[in-house]
Amino acid sequence: QVQLVESGGGLVQAGGSLRLSCAASGTIFSINAMGWYRQAPGKQRELVATITSVGTTNSADSVKGRFTISRDNAKNTVYLQMNSLKPDDTAVYYCNADGVRRRSWGGASTYWGQGTQVTVSS
């Protein structure tokens, strides 16, 4: 069993900053990529940013220049530094771990965190 534990969500004012953390725990051999997705009320879940085990990043155009994703492979942890927050960033943010192998010989699976609320007030 793999669990993703998120922290750092909360309420901030527009223009403020917030740092999200997500640590994957359990029996894990390797993780191909970790990232963040978000879902606002009435909308589909969308990609925010992802990062692979070798450091390749991908992010949504709406957050480029404001959000930075990073990771600590040794700790199976991913971070999302969010600066210059806008009310439109308000959403439930979900941590994702993709291509998770629990054994060296095993296949890969995807896991999701429970989600953490980020609210940006104007």
Side-chain angles (χ1 to χ4, degrees):
Q1 185 175 340
V2 174
Q3 183 180 16
L4 303 182
V5 181
E6 302 158 318
S7 62
L11 173 65
V12 297
Q13 293 185 333
S17 298
L18 206 60
R19 192 189 194 210
L20 305 183
S21 299
C22 173
S25 62
T27 302
I28 300 172
F29 177 75
S30 63
I31 301 174
N32 254 331
M34 297 185 74
W36 295 92
Y37 294 73
R38 67 187 182 187
Q39 187 168 23
K43 294 190 175 183
Q44 295 188 88
R45 188 174 299 186
E46 65 176 354
L47 179 146
V48 177
T50 60
I51 185 166
T52 70
S53 62
V54 295
T56 302
T57 61
N58 182 38
S59 62
D61 289 341
S62 61
V63 306
K64 281 187 169 68
R66 300 187 299 119
F67 293 7
T68 302
I69 190 167
S70 60
R71 83 281 186 257
D72 184 336
N73 289 337
K75 297 180 179 179
N76 288 325
T77 300
V78 64
Y79 307 93
L80 185 68
Q81 179 65 48
M82 304 184 292
N83 299 325
S84 302
L85 283 162
K86 306 174 181 178
D88 285 348
D89 295 319
T90 296
V92 177
Y93 284 68
Y94 296 90
C95 179
N96 172 265
D98 188 50
V100 181
R101 296 175 65 194
R102 299 179 64 196
R103 303 286 188 274
S104 62
W105 45 262
S109 299
T110 298
Y111 296 90
W112 292 92
Q114 79 286 350
T116 184
Q117 179 71 47
V118 172
T119 302
V120 184
S121 62
S122 60

